[in-house]
Amino acid sequence: MTNDCTSTTPDYDAIVVGAGLSGIYAVHRLQQRGFTVRAFERGSGVGGTWFWNRYPGLQCDTETLSYSFTFSDELYRGWNWSRRFAPQSELMAYANYMTDALGVRDAIQLNTAVLGAHFDDDANLWRVDLDTGQSVTGRYFVAASGPLSTTNSPTIAGLDTFEGTVLHTAQWPFEPVDFTGKKVGVVGTGSSGAQLITALAGTVDKLVVFQRTPQYVTPAQQRPLGEEEVRERKDNLDDLRALMRSSSHGAPGTGTDRSAFDDTPEERDRVFQAAWEFGAQAFALATYNDLTSNEEANGFAADFVRRKIAEIVDDPETARKLMPTYLFGTKRPIKVDDYYETFNRPNVQLVALREEPFVSATTTGIRTTAADYDLDYLIFATGFDAMTGTLFEMDIRGRDGLTLRDKWENGVYVRTALGVAMHEFPNMFLVQGPQSTTIMNNYTLGIEINMDFIAGLLERARAEGNELIEATAQSEVEWAELCQTLAERTLLLKTESWWTGANIAGKPRPKLFQSYTGGLKQYRLALERAQADGYREFERTPVQTAVLADA
């Protein structure tokens, strides 16, 4: 390794940030194309979000037979999931399986965080600073750090005086925590919170759920996978792969061509009930195609869930507090079994923070405007500073020292070309970053589509003798405007959520939507068109590789 600032010969062709599933696949695909690669991961193991999130009840909310890389028949068939939705232990095992099967472990440096990455305008390479004190250089800088990796920890006055234990679902201890007989408070009822609440309720002496926003929660219908269904998927992998790549959300059962207005109210209820009983993504994505574009259609689904809450929850006042009022599907859909049933347990208490807000923490627990709650543990299930959070944590600077935070105006105006690159940040690429499909679709298939495009672009530039690749200013403006236009055709912008950056106190509200909402199929086709058209969205420039004289 050299840190000679006078040389344009880099330590590596590509430096990758992160060793979650995105980083693992990025290293593999780049190595496969003949590039030298080094990945840096702040954790002590691979797995990314599945490494850090290990709270009780955690499970993937995409069916595992689809939440798998499909580029290799051998690797797909060589792995066996045990359940319809993988628990954290299996997700971690899968990340390690892929790391070893692809032979990329030696290219990953663990326990190493990237502090900053600066593009050197003279040497035409990236200088990357690590928390180990090292500095390395790369021709290409690939951010595979993920959209859900920077913790959101709200502030509660006096929290430092609390004599109990404070935990966060996204920074869970590596050693098991014994909650038997304890008094536990959980703040947040999103996906992490709902999973944790149902997992803890049968163990703890008292569970106090501090609900910020009531949620639409539909059953996952978790179950063991049958040998026959696993064999059928493996034997027909070509069909599965084609179905995933042609579906709107990258997984079977995530699309329909029917409108909610095609059916009578009675027929709609039967459709919703069937989806409720089937679980997975069916209720949100396979009932009707206009639930997130037409408010009246949306109301049919919302009303069905609210009726379910009233039917399931015994106490009318608790049921009232659990009733969501925002538009269905405009926050991330939550799929958890027995969530509403949990509030019928005598040891579970719901606190609606909109009706009795926090006042402060105390030495023994939490005080709201209505009561004091004694706790042994306070757990934040408050999610992430999503999309831009991790990128902004690093000091990333492009041409002439332009910071990424300034480029994107602190997240207000995020602009990318096709969700993979930015003007003024040459040779920097995003894997499942802002304005790609990211968290809106099947994440693993999105990784493949994203990274295959990037690797193809790099290989094309290398074949042309061009070592400098930069998105044009026009292409990123056009793509950002398209992402915003597509979002405006939905109901997503009518609700404050982490999709819109509204979950972080003091964070500016984005003016441009930070995800591509046209679906995974259309995103794939957009990248394929760009490739077929010769990557016109990117300027490619030859760079003479030589030692800089008198630098």
Side-chain angles (χ1 to χ4, degrees), residues 125-163:
L125 48 71
W126 282 88
R127 301 189 181 278
V128 178
D129 296 324
L130 310 172
D131 68 349
T132 60
Q134 295 172 287
S135 179
V136 295
T137 58
R139 180 71 61 206
Y140 307 109
F141 179 63
V142 180
S145 46
L148 301 177
S149 52
T150 296
T151 303
N152 172 32
S153 297
T155 300
I156 298 178
L159 188 60
D160 58 340
T161 68
F162 176 54
E163 295 177 355

Side-chain angles (χ1 to χ4, degrees), residues 72 170 256 343 387 427 499:
S72 166
T256 177
F343 292 93
M387 309 306 291
N427 287 359
W499 283 347

Side-chain angles (χ1 to χ4, degrees), residues 243-271:
L243 182 59
M244 288 170 61
R245 294 177 71 84
S246 62
S247 66
S248 58
H249 293 276
T254 57
T256 177
D257 59 359
R258 289 184 59 76
S259 164
F261 299 100
D262 291 340
D263 290 340
T264 65
E266 295 76 17
E267 290 169 336
R268 280 195 299 268
D269 273 2
R270 284 194 290 270
V271 169

